[in-house]
Amino acid sequence: MSIDAVPAGGAGRRGALFGGRVQEAAMLLPALALIAVFLLLPFLSSFRIALTNERLIPRPVPPRFVGLDNFQNILSDHEFWVALWNVARFTLMVLPVQCGFALAVALILNTKLPFRNVFRGLFFLPAITSMVVVCVIWATLFQYPTGPFNQILSVLSFGMAGPIDWLGDPRFAMPALVLLSAWQAYGFQMIVYLAGLQGIPESLYEAAELDGANRWQRFWHVTMPSLRQTHIFVLIITTIQAFKLFTQVNILTQGGPRGTTDTVVHYMFTAGFVNQRLGLASAVAIILFFIVLIVSLVQRFVVRDRK
Amino acid sequence: MTSISHPATLAPAPSRPVPRDWSRVIAVVAVSILALVVISPLFLLAVASLKPDRFQILADMGSFRAFWVSDPSLQNFRDVWTFSGALPFGRYLLNSLIILFVTVLGGVFLNSMAAFVLAWGRLPGRAVILTALIALYIVPQESIVLPLLTIVNRVGLSDSFAAQILPFMASPLYIFLIYQFFIQVPRDIYDAATVDGAGPFRIYWSVFLPISLPVLATVAILLGIETWNQYLWPLMVTQTDRARPISVGIASFFGHDSVYWNSAMAASVMMMIPVLIFYLAFQRWFVSSFISSAVKG
């Protein structure tokens, strides 16, 4: 049936079309307005604020344009470089631990194991646990001197390795945060790997088996190369997550001991919220944005290259 | 499930009949032990929350007594619930639930409505808007919170529910996820509805919404988890108990000289229970939601 065949249809349809557009605009507007006010506007104004000496609570004196002074101050601040280095250190440690464990569990769950779905549900539980709750639990696990980690250490070393003040010792605070963070977040990478593993055609394994490849060879020559895209995706996502490290630090270590767990976001939070130096903090926020942007662009290029 | 392929669906691995032998039993036992070790921190939390003596909790942690409670008591939960002094936990939990429900309901509605117009509308400039949204998606929340705080303060929304709801309801990511689902809907379905003379909102409401339950559930779950676990933003924007969520409430236990482990444990369990209930009820959707949040790349 064609509406155009109806004589009055033309005008009526044009009217409906116009009404339709008004309705469409009304449907699109709420979401766009919220995004404009609460995402685009703060994002754009951070570039403006970063060039001023604006304070969080306005002073009687209006904020002054200071050019690139904030960036200069940050880049010449030893503490900022320590924070950046800490985040890099955290990333380098958390990547193998978190992604390696996620891949191992995904490989186990991808076999013909009975109750696979039950196990998948259990292994995914930490991923839905709030980081605040994780901090409460792990703070007790890391207790000095008689927490579970220290007891296990003592048993394994026959009492030779002394109790470690996990969160209070500059050498161990960051590794402790790495363990806790990897435990909380590996579930996501596990699920992504599981999806990647299920995308590998069974025929590849059958062919490898015919060629006499053992289980180990099949893993290195079939599974790992087939997961290339998944690896890239997982590494990028985990890196971006790692660069935003904050909650654990804020709750458990406050950047200490002796600045060994200070991070970029914690540095920004301290500068902008605690010390009220909004201009300086906005400059840090912009640097963080560009770090995330560059990491994401690297992913785009690497993925596009191989396609 | 409709015929539209949803990226989140996990296909079951092809299963061949396997002889029932000991290796299977050993595999199940080994994986069970691994699973128990991995989730043991959660078990310890549940056990510890039933011990009213906070020094006992710490003393027990270093031994196998951590896995057992001889005289379980709900005292911690009562304390946390009625504590009218520094930390009113009932209030925090209620605040979190209010923020959660309004954000998720509003978010699913606003994002899907916008996604519908972007996918099927006739408004000019849709492609530009879509591109802008995808570009905005890259901006991390962490790098906008401080300017956002000044905006919220300036419009007088500081320390309110609105300050924790409005900024997170609409999101480029979720609009895009729903958009991707909508554009796969066959043209015939849209055309049939137009011929019936229905306006855009009617088509969206009575044709597109009912067939998009999988993607709407995905968005609801992701947005829900994200909202429930918010920390940095509520830490900055709430100054009083009025709208403070439970995450910030629990974290403030750590501010005290001696951590009230018994209360912290009970409060943590209370924070986990709502998530756990939803997880047990919708486990399949939970897991697949996390995958579809991965396809955005």
Side-chain angles (χ1 to χ4, degrees):
Chain A
M1 188 194 111
S2 163
I3 295 178
D4 296 325
V6 183
R13 198 175 170 219
R14 214 173 301 133
L17 193 61
F18 179 72
R21 285 199 180 167
V22 171
Q23 236 181 60
E24 281 179 14
M27 289 166 75
L28 189 56
L29 207 63
L32 288 192
L34 287 176
I35 289 172
V37 174
F38 294 110
L39 179 58
L40 185 61
L41 181 63
F43 178 62
L44 294 179
S45 64
S46 72
F47 285 89
R48 180 186 56 79
I49 297 172
L51 301 176
T52 69
N53 65 353
E54 195 167 323
R55 308 279 296 184
L56 190 57
I57 293 171
R59 289 173 300 180
V61 209
R64 199 162 44 80
F65 178 81
V66 295
L68 294 175
D69 277 9
N70 288 322
F71 290 92
Q72 212 161 21
N73 285 338
I74 292 164
L75 296 179
S76 60
D77 182 4
H78 178 64
E79 273 179 43
F80 175 76
W81 290 102
V82 169
L84 197 60
W85 165 238
N86 285 337
V87 175
R89 226 157 39 96
F90 176 81
T91 309
L92 287 177
M93 286 191 275
V94 90
L95 274 179
V97 175
Q98 186 171 328
C99 302
F101 188 69
L103 178 59
V105 176
L107 285 169
I108 292 172
L109 293 181
N110 197 44
T111 57
K112 287 163 202 94
L113 188 76
F115 314 115
R116 268 184 337 144
N117 285 337
V118 177
F119 283 123
R120 194 181 70 174
L122 285 177
F123 279 113
F124 196 65
L125 267 181
I128 60 158
T129 309
S130 160
M131 188 45 88
V132 176
V133 173
V134 173
C135 286
V136 170
I137 310 174
W138 283 67
T140 63
L141 299 186
F142 283 133
Q143 274 299 309
Y144 176 79
T146 56
F149 275 103
N150 279 322
Q151 300 290 10
I152 293 168
L153 191 68
S154 162
V155 169
L156 289 182
S157 67
F158 302 103
M160 304 289 282
I164 292 171
D165 187 1
W166 290 96
L167 294 169
D169 186 322
R171 286 171 300 164
F172 294 103
M174 191 57 102
L177 289 184
V178 167
L179 279 181
L180 160 165
S181 312
W183 180 80
Q184 194 272 338
Y186 83 90
F188 175 74
Q189 281 84 350
M190 171 190 90
I191 290 297
V192 176
Y193 271 130
L194 210 48
L197 285 171
Q198 293 181 350
I200 305 175
E202 188 78 355
S203 58
L204 283 181
Y205 289 104
E206 282 159 8
E209 220 166 328
L210 282 179
D211 289 344
N214 63 29
R215 195 175 279 206
W216 188 246
Q217 287 166 330
R218 289 202 298 266
F219 173 71
W220 282 109
H221 298 292
V222 178
T223 310
M224 288 305 262
S226 309
L227 285 178
R228 194 177 171 278
Q229 298 290 337
T230 316
H231 285 316
I232 295 169
F233 176 74
V234 163
L235 290 184
I236 297 291
I237 287 290
T238 315
T239 305
I240 292 177
Q241 260 177 13
F243 268 88
K244 299 179 190 168
L245 179 64
F246 174 74
T247 307
Q248 303 92 300
V249 170
N250 176 258
I251 294 176
L252 291 175
T253 66
Q254 257 91 49
R258 280 189 260 137
T260 47
T261 60
D262 196 6
T263 66
V264 175
V265 177
H266 187 259
Y267 181 94
M268 180 195 85
F269 176 79
T270 312
F273 189 70
V274 181
N275 300 333
Q276 307 269 316
R277 299 177 67 181
L278 197 62
L280 192 75
S282 297
V284 180
I286 288 166
I287 294 174
L288 176 72
F289 165 72
F290 277 108
I291 292 174
V292 171
L293 181 69
I294 289 167
V295 175
S296 315
L297 289 180
V298 166
Q299 179 206 18
R300 292 274 151 89
F301 279 115
V302 175
V303 173
R304 193 174 297 162
D305 256 12
R306 289 289 170 129
K307 263 184 183 169
Chain B
M1 204 61 212
T2 52
S3 61
I4 296 134
S5 76
H6 192 236
T9 324
L10 276 182
S15 54
R16 284 182 237 145
V18 176
R20 196 177 285 274
D21 55 13
W22 281 105
S23 69
R24 266 162 66 99
V25 178
I26 292 169
V28 170
V29 171
V31 178
S32 303
I33 292 172
L34 181 64
L36 286 180
V37 170
V38 169
I39 63 161
S40 63
L42 292 173
F43 186 69
L44 291 181
L45 168 72
V47 171
S49 71
L50 301 172
K51 296 176 182 174
D53 181 350
R54 67 186 154 116
F55 299 107
Q56 195 61 43
I57 290 176
L58 284 193
D60 284 357
M61 267 298 166
S63 70
F64 288 105
R65 277 189 305 246
F67 291 96
W68 185 249
V69 51
S70 43
D71 47 347
S73 143
L74 290 178
Q75 190 56 42
N76 295 334
F77 292 91
R78 271 193 290 271
D79 286 353
V80 151
W81 198 256
T82 56
F83 197 0
S84 49
L87 301 169
F89 263 88
R91 181 71 197 253
Y92 294 155
L93 190 64
L94 193 66
N95 288 347
S96 276
L97 288 170
I98 292 172
I99 295 166
L100 176 76
F101 281 115
V102 179
T103 309
V104 170
L105 282 181
V108 167
F109 181 59
L110 294 187
N111 288 326
S112 61
M113 207 158 62
F116 171 77
V117 174
L118 292 176
W120 289 97
R122 290 167 188 185
L123 219 53
R126 286 175 298 126
V128 178
I129 294 172
L130 194 66
T131 313
L133 286 178
I134 293 170
L136 269 181
Y137 164 66
I138 202 95
V139 178
Q141 194 205 339
E142 284 80 358
S143 69
I144 61 153
V145 281
L146 281 163
L148 184 58
L149 190 61
T150 63
I151 292 172
V152 163
N153 284 342
R154 206 169 300 150
V155 295
L157 284 180
S158 148
D159 202 21
S160 68
F161 286 112
Q164 295 173 77
I165 293 169
L166 293 177
F168 308 107
M169 271 202 310
S171 141
L173 169 64
Y174 301 134
I175 292 178
F176 188 61
L177 272 183
I178 305 173
Y179 167 85
Q180 280 183 318
F181 183 89
F182 279 166
I183 51 171
Q184 293 176 55
V185 172
R187 169 122 230 145
D188 302 352
I189 294 182
Y190 179 81
D191 286 344
T194 343
V195 169
D196 288 346
F201 187 79
R202 271 276 308 285
I203 300 177
Y204 154 78
W205 186 257
S206 48
V207 179
F208 277 71
L209 270 196
I211 58 171
S212 352
L213 275 182
V215 73
L216 297 183
T218 293
V219 168
I221 287 169
L222 288 174
L223 183 56
I225 288 275
E226 190 187 310
T227 308
W228 193 250
N229 294 342
Q230 283 275 6
Y231 180 72
L232 174 59
W233 175 247
L235 179 68
M236 297 198 311
V237 85
T238 59
Q239 287 97 42
T240 66
D241 294 335
R242 201 156 65 99
R244 182 167 289 162
I246 190 163
S247 58
V248 178
I250 292 176
S252 58
F253 272 125
F254 285 88
H256 298 76
D257 283 342
S258 164
V259 180
Y260 293 93
W261 289 117
N262 50 341
S263 308
M265 297 286 174
S268 297
V269 169
M270 276 165 38
M271 186 174 180
M272 275 220 76
I273 285 174
V275 186
L276 219 51
I277 291 171
F278 272 94
Y279 182 59
L280 291 176
F282 304 108
Q283 207 209 94
R284 249 199 121 67
W285 286 13
F286 252 79
V287 173
S288 56
S289 301
F290 276 74
I291 302 177
S292 49
S293 78
V295 296
K296 72 213 167 188

